[in-house]
Amino acid sequence: MCVAVSFGKSKIYTALVFEIHQHKPTAYQAKDIYQILDEKPLVTSKQLKHWQWISDYYMCSLGEVFRAALPSAFLLESETIILKNNTFSSEEDLTDNEFLIVEALQHQSQLNLQQIMQITGKTKVFSLIKQLLEKEAIIVKEEIYEQYKPKVIQYIRLQKQWEAKLDVLLEKLKRAKKQREVVLHYFQLQASTQKPIKKLDIQKQLNTSAAVINALVDKDFFEIYEIQVDRINFKGNQGSLKILNEFQAQAYKEIKECFLTKDVCLFHGITSSGKTEIYVQLIKEVLEQNKQVLYLLPEIALTTQLLQRLQVYFGEQISVFHSKYSMNERVEVYNNILNSKTKAQVIVGARSSIFLPFVDLGLIIVDEEHETSYKQFDPSPRYHARDAAIVLGLQHKAKIVLGSATPSIESYYNAQQQKYGLVNLNRRFGNVLLPEVELVNIKEKQRKKRMNGHFSDRLLKLIEAAIAEKEQIILFQNRRGFSPIITCTTCGESPQCPNCDVSLTYHKYIHKLKCHYCGYYNQMPINCFACGNATLDTKGFGTEQIELELKALYPDLKIARLDMDTTRGKHSYQKILGAFQAHEIDVLVGTQMLSKGLDFSNVSLVGVLNADNMLNFPDFRAHERSFQMLVQVSGRAGRAKKRGKVAIQTYNPYHQILQQVSTNSYTQMYKEQIQERWQYKYPPFYRTIKIVLKHRDYQRLETASNWLGKALQAIFKEHLLGPTTPAISRIRNQYLKNAIIKIPQQHSLNSTKEQLLKVKNVFQSVKEFRAIRFIIDVDNY
């Protein structure tokens, strides 16, 4: 259960009772529990077991998992409330500051500590409050603020004594014209709907104010009552499921067979092969056994589209859980799952959904399992939702399906090693062919002067052909903003972020320079701040520049953009994707948000404006990620009847990854990558743990990283990489140092972690190093 515990004199925090025991602590004096907050347990024992696994495996504290897992409304904090003692009369005994407080309480019913500090101009007010308490001038009460407020709807009903006396009631209201109107309308509604009548409905329909209804309540003609409701409800009738085609039916049968011997099944189905329909069949089967289903998605954008499809089949049994929902909405979903309500049988959510209090989980679907969005990088716990979901499934004895058109190399390796089952589906639904991929050599195009801005003549020709056919287009550029670098053509200087070692990105629509790491922004300068010349030029390009170039080329087209800047609001995803679905948008320009499992039937062309910046990224997974991204974004084309087209602009069309994308040969990519991983000792053959040191003082960090390097070198020898300075060496005014420990398969992961923890404890016991942040990230890829 959740309990309130006090820290120091004024702070009260929420804690969770983990274990009840009789061993008195020896090192410190234990405090009493201030108050028990729950009437019944908020966390299940299975949840705690799962949290403990996350804490042990990802080397973080249980408290960090607890904070991440519970909606913040459950984590109550205190505030001391000061009230006036009405029996107090001898104000002449008070000092000036005490009098100020008592006087303020005559105007306000209560004050908190913050307000008292403002009134007196002092930061330490505890002694002052203590003196006032001794003089019995005030009363102090500790109030625990509950942040969650249930949503209540006000209904209105006639008081019993007037039910049979309508004529008398109307006679009494002869002069009150508006009140009489409300009474007549109420009876009209009651006769026609036979349902409870909302106060707000009457107000809206009669265009009247709440005061009119309140006057009827004051006269004892009506009474108002409240009903608590959930903020989000999904409508939809239990529609009949679509009939699977022969290839889908075969894949479904193979998944069922796989579940007889294995708990985890990797489902490798190419883009637009109809994986969702197979998931729907599996969900239906689990719901018939009265068990819960968790459907994990990497992006919030995907939940919008998937919900429309699932609602048709499962209607009110669906709940959604992700960060774009308000705190109160998340609390309701949490409680519904804990109480095993029918409206929380199918939970669709982003990575944080694995923390929910499932009672009887029967199936977990991890869609697009290769996605990096499943990995939490900051803050702790730095878990991977796919791996944590597999452990959760095994604890609940549930079955797990990992679905993807481009599985991660680790998952495919596990399937090859017979750890997971493997089911392939390599036919698109309706036998539509995979899109035709064309590699456009922009190096050659630039030489022949056939580029128009960032568009090659070939891409423009394809865009025009698609427009002529009244088809839609998706353009992909994995950078937001207008331009990532602004340089002065006279002196070569470019504006840098004052807090991070990165150049500022220019956002044209707000005319500002922004840092994508810390959020710092500044007005776009007119002159170079170093030499003063007005010769500023932009280098590189983002989605915003593509959108503007396209608007200049085709002013009649309706063009929209989907990236972090345009989807800040709660419903912004829905608006943009809904408008695109309804053919109100001709061209959608976007970042990697576009590449994830979205389904638009009228898209015939996908254009990738620059494939090289992903391929040349300094990371051992760059080639695998590029392949996945390009295949996924290509898969948005030609999903209904006609074969789609994909144009990939690149300076190096002969790169092996781009050749593999053009032929959609996943196995060829897998074989090459697995060979390289074996050769250079990377996952899945070696596990990795990343250590990051952070501090404001560069010199102190340098000394600490040298000490740590020697300590780790003595234990891990050739399996240690670093400590080194990363490409971006300072973020938010904190300098960084990285080290990576590689763990071979024959080495015990647990003993490595134990040795690392010993080094960390010694490191943090050194006085000069204590202020340095020591971050451990297990499976950091």
Side-chain angles (χ1 to χ4, degrees):
M1 286 192 181
C2 281
V3 292
V5 291
S6 58
F7 277 76
K9 290 177 181 172
S10 65
K11 295 279 183 285
I12 290 183
Y13 293 108
T14 300
L16 189 76
V17 176
F18 182 68
E19 185 189 357
I20 295 171
H21 60 88
Q22 302 299 326
H23 314 298
K24 195 174 180 180
T26 50
Y28 61 93
Q29 178 66 43
K31 278 190 170 186
D32 289 338
I33 285 174
Y34 180 78
Q35 184 183 342
I36 296 176
L37 299 174
D38 298 337
E39 287 173 20
K40 57 181 188 178
L42 191 68
V43 173
T44 66
S45 55
K46 277 184 181 166
Q47 238 179 322
L48 269 184
K49 196 176 160 194
H50 188 229
W51 292 1
Q52 208 161 7
W53 177 84
I54 289 174
S55 162
D56 295 342
Y57 186 83
Y58 292 104
M59 297 177 78
C60 57
S61 68
L62 252 176
E64 287 171 322
V65 184
F66 167 61
R67 290 243 153 217
L70 283 192
S72 56
F74 292 129
L75 305 170
L76 309 178
E77 316 267 300
S78 77
E79 218 167 321
T80 305
I81 301 294
I82 313 294
L83 305 170
K84 184 174 183 284
N85 184 357
N86 293 323
T87 57
F88 178 74
S89 56
S90 47
E91 288 180 5
E92 58 276 2
D93 300 342
L94 301 177
T95 63
D96 290 350
N97 277 327
E98 289 169 359
F99 182 74
L100 280 175
I101 296 168
V102 173
E103 191 184 31
L105 282 169
Q106 285 168 351
H107 301 290
Q108 269 174 284
S109 59
Q110 58 183 46
L111 295 171
N112 60 30
L113 289 178
Q114 263 353 82
Q115 289 166 319
I116 287 176
M117 286 175 194
Q118 284 168 357
I119 291 164
T120 57
K122 289 186 170 186
T123 49
K124 294 182 179 175
V125 292
F126 277 103
S127 56
L128 203 62
I129 290 166
K130 203 174 169 205
Q131 285 159 10
L132 280 168
L133 276 170
E134 283 166 5
K135 292 174 183 175
E136 294 182 358
I138 57 165
I139 305 164
V140 168
K141 83 165 179 182
E142 279 287 347
E143 183 172 298
I144 291 194
Y145 275 142
E146 187 160 346
Q147 296 174 328
Y148 166 61
K149 289 184 176 65
K151 183 181 178 183
V152 290
I153 290 182
Q154 288 192 328
Y155 287 87
I156 182 173
R157 62 179 166 219
L158 197 66
Q159 293 232 14
K160 281 223 169 97
Q161 67 266 30
W162 297 105
E163 279 174 8
K165 299 178 186 172
L166 178 60
D167 47 347
V168 181
L169 180 56
L170 292 172
E171 185 62 34
K172 280 183 180 286
L173 296 171
K174 200 160 52 177
R175 289 185 180 174
K177 193 181 163 192
K178 284 190 175 174
Q179 291 176 22
R180 188 187 162 103
E181 237 176 75
V182 168
V183 174
L184 286 168
H185 191 69
Y186 170 82
F187 277 101
Q188 206 176 335
L189 280 177
Q190 203 184 34
S192 60
T193 62
Q194 304 288 316
K195 285 180 182 172
I197 292 156
K198 290 181 192 172
K199 180 184 173 187
L200 207 62
D201 284 355
I202 290 188
Q203 278 175 237
K204 278 182 186 168
Q205 287 162 12
L206 289 176
N207 199 11
T208 185
S209 68
V212 177
I213 298 172
N214 292 342
L216 286 165
V217 173
D218 293 341
K219 289 177 182 176
D220 285 340
F221 296 151
F222 277 97
E223 62 181 330
I224 289 173
Y225 63 103
E226 292 175 339
I227 295 177
Q228 190 175 324
V229 292
D230 277 354
R231 284 172 170 79
I232 292 180
N233 292 300
F234 288 102
K235 298 282 178 283
N237 45 1
Q238 305 277 322
S240 56
L241 306 191
K242 283 184 186 170
I243 295 164
L244 302 180
N245 66 24
E246 56 174 309
F247 306 107
Q248 287 175 312
Q250 181 59 30
Y252 174 68
K253 187 170 160 246
E254 284 175 27
I255 292 172
K256 296 293 294 169
E257 283 168 7
C258 166
F259 282 158
L260 298 174
T261 53
K262 292 185 170 68
D263 292 317
V264 185
C265 174
L266 177 63
F267 181 24
H268 181 196
I270 61 168
T271 54
S272 191
S273 55
K275 295 189 285 292
T276 309
E277 298 305 328
I278 295 171
Y279 298 153
V280 166
Q281 297 279 357
L282 292 167
I283 291 169
K284 186 172 186 289
E285 213 166 273
V286 173
L287 290 183
E288 282 165 0
Q289 299 164 19
N290 287 329
K291 290 187 172 182
Q292 292 168 315
V293 177
L294 172 59
Y295 198 134
L296 279 178
L297 291 163
E299 283 274 354
I300 298 167
L302 271 180
T303 55
T304 311
Q305 227 194 13
L306 182 81
L307 280 175
Q308 293 166 357
R309 294 166 76 175
L310 290 186
Q311 250 174 277
V312 179
Y313 306 127
F314 307 115
E316 293 169 0
Q317 291 174 293
I318 302 172
S319 282
V320 181
F321 191 87
H322 59 63
S323 60
K324 279 275 194 313
Y325 275 31
S326 73
M327 183 180 67
N328 289 334
E329 287 162 353
R330 279 182 278 170
V331 167
E332 280 161 11
V333 173
Y334 189 98
N335 286 331
N336 289 342
I337 295 168
L338 184 63
N339 299 323
S340 213
K341 294 215 175 143
T342 49
K343 61 169 67 175
Q345 292 302 101
V346 181
I347 291 88
V348 179
R351 61 173 180 242
S352 54
S353 324
I354 58 155
F355 293 118
L356 291 167
F358 298 102
V359 181
D360 195 1
L361 198 54
L363 174 70
I364 299 176
I365 295 166
V366 184
D367 202 8
E368 311 294 345
E369 65 84 32
H370 63 277
E371 276 299 336
T372 44
S373 319
Y374 282 127
K375 171 75 178 162
Q376 161 92 356
F377 288 103
D378 256 327
S380 190
R382 296 173 176 82
Y383 64 97
H384 196 297
R386 177 196 61 211
D387 301 345
I390 290 171
V391 173
L392 178 70
L394 297 176
Q395 284 178 354
H396 278 266
K397 296 186 172 58
K399 301 296 179 193
I400 302 118
V401 180
L402 308 177
S404 176
T406 51
S408 64
I409 284 182
E410 297 81 43
S411 297
Y412 204 77
Y413 177 76
N414 280 335
Q416 298 292 338
Q417 298 295 308
Q418 306 291 311
K419 250 180 155 180
Y420 303 164
L422 176 63
V423 174
N424 291 302
L425 176 58
N426 33 29
R427 286 289 188 99
R428 277 187 140 189
F429 189 78
N431 280 337
V432 178
L433 289 172
L434 278 165
E436 183 187 333
V437 179
E438 194 175 320
L439 300 172
V440 181
N441 187 345
I442 44 178
K443 190 178 182 180
E444 194 66 20
K445 296 283 180 193
Q446 277 175 345
R447 193 175 62 81
K448 292 178 178 172
K449 298 195 167 38
R450 288 185 185 165
M451 293 293 287
N452 191 336
H454 293 99
F455 293 89
S456 60
D457 57 349
R458 179 66 187 142
L459 180 56
L460 289 173
K461 199 173 166 186
L462 290 169
I463 289 172
E464 281 155 18
I467 293 162
E469 294 282 328
K470 298 221 170 358
E471 289 161 347
Q472 290 170 296
I473 300 156
I474 283 177
L475 294 178
F476 171 74
Q477 166 62 1
N478 209 13
R479 261 212 180 112
R480 64 191 172 103
F482 182 84
S483 170
I485 301 171
I486 301 289
T487 55
C488 172
T489 52
T490 308
C491 70
E493 194 65 46
S494 67
Q496 300 284 314
C497 172
N499 311 317
C500 314
D501 275 348
V502 290
S503 57
L504 294 169
T505 302
Y506 175 40
H507 286 250
K508 193 165 188 172
Y509 77 109
I510 52 171
H511 204 62
K512 283 193 173 107
L513 294 172
K514 278 177 85 173
C515 172
H516 288 174
Y517 284 85
C518 69
Y520 169 86
Y521 64 89
N522 209 338
Q523 284 299 328
M524 173 71 179
I526 298 165
N527 301 337
C528 169
F529 59 86
C531 69
N533 285 331
T535 51
L536 295 173
D537 189 20
T538 60
K539 291 266 192 296
F541 63 103
T543 47
E544 212 181 295
Q545 193 166 341
I546 297 302
E547 183 190 17
L548 291 169
E549 273 185 28
L550 208 56
K551 278 179 178 168
L553 287 167
Y554 304 106
D556 300 337
L557 282 189
K558 294 188 197 79
I559 299 159
R561 186 158 50 91
L562 186 80
D563 57 27
M564 276 284 285
D565 302 314
T566 60
T567 54
R568 296 219 180 268
K570 182 174 172 181
H571 301 294
S572 42
Y573 281 114
Q574 273 154 298
K575 282 178 191 160
I576 298 168
L577 296 178
F580 193 60
Q581 188 101 43
H583 301 193
E584 289 166 18
I585 296 168
D586 301 314
V587 184
L588 190 58
V589 182
T591 56
Q592 44 86 27
M593 287 179 181
L594 281 175
S595 66
K596 325 269 168 78
L598 297 168
D599 186 12
F600 303 111
S601 57
N602 196 38
V603 173
S604 67
L605 172 67
V606 167
V608 177
L609 286 137
N610 187 345
D612 303 313
N613 56 3
M614 296 184 283
L615 286 167
N616 302 328
F617 197 70
D619 180 12
F620 76 94
R621 295 190 69 170
H623 285 182
E624 178 198 352
R625 294 255 164 87
S626 302
F627 178 86
Q628 288 166 343
M629 188 82 79
L630 291 169
V631 168
Q632 289 285 349
V633 80
S634 305
R636 302 310 111 221
R639 294 174 72 93
K641 298 174 181 69
K642 187 179 158 189
R643 188 180 188 190
K645 279 194 166 65
V646 179
I648 299 176
Q649 297 191 157
T650 170
Y651 285 97
N652 183 5
Y654 304 107
H655 195 292
Q656 92 256 24
I657 287 289
L658 297 177
Q659 292 293 328
Q660 286 154 7
V661 168
S662 65
T663 53
N664 196 37
S665 43
Y666 174 82
T667 44
Q668 199 185 329
M669 184 277 297
Y670 170 76
K671 280 174 188 162
E672 275 182 23
Q673 290 301 310
I674 206 84
Q675 195 59 45
E676 280 186 21
R677 302 278 179 94
W678 170 253
Q679 200 176 337
Y680 298 111
K681 300 180 173 147
Y682 275 107
F685 302 106
Y686 278 60
R687 300 301 260 290
T688 62
I689 296 177
K690 184 179 182 182
I691 298 152
V692 180
L693 298 182
K694 277 187 185 181
H695 198 260
R696 282 173 175 269
D697 182 344
Y698 181 78
Q699 214 47 54
R700 191 185 292 193
L701 185 73
E702 190 67 34
T703 312
S705 73
N706 289 339
W707 182 93
L708 182 68
K710 284 171 188 164
L712 293 174
Q713 189 74 50
I715 303 167
F716 301 111
K717 301 183 173 60
E718 75 277 9
H719 298 311
L720 176 74
L721 296 181
T724 56
T725 305
I728 296 169
S729 58
R730 182 176 60 113
I731 293 176
R732 296 172 194 264
N733 273 330
Q734 302 254 11
Y735 289 96
L736 305 175
K737 286 281 183 183
N738 292 350
I740 287 178
I741 299 166
K742 290 181 174 180
I743 308 157
Q745 279 177 330
Q746 63 272 23
H747 282 212
S748 158
L749 185 64
N750 287 342
S751 66
T752 305
K753 285 178 182 174
E754 279 168 21
Q755 287 170 314
L756 180 56
L757 278 176
K758 278 178 192 166
V759 172
K760 183 186 175 184
N761 290 338
V762 174
F763 179 89
Q764 289 178 329
S765 64
V766 178
K767 195 180 175 186
E768 302 91 85
F769 302 163
R770 208 166 288 161
I772 293 171
R773 278 195 69 196
F774 191 114
I775 295 165
I776 299 174
D777 189 354
V778 180
D779 295 347
N780 60 297
Y781 42 88

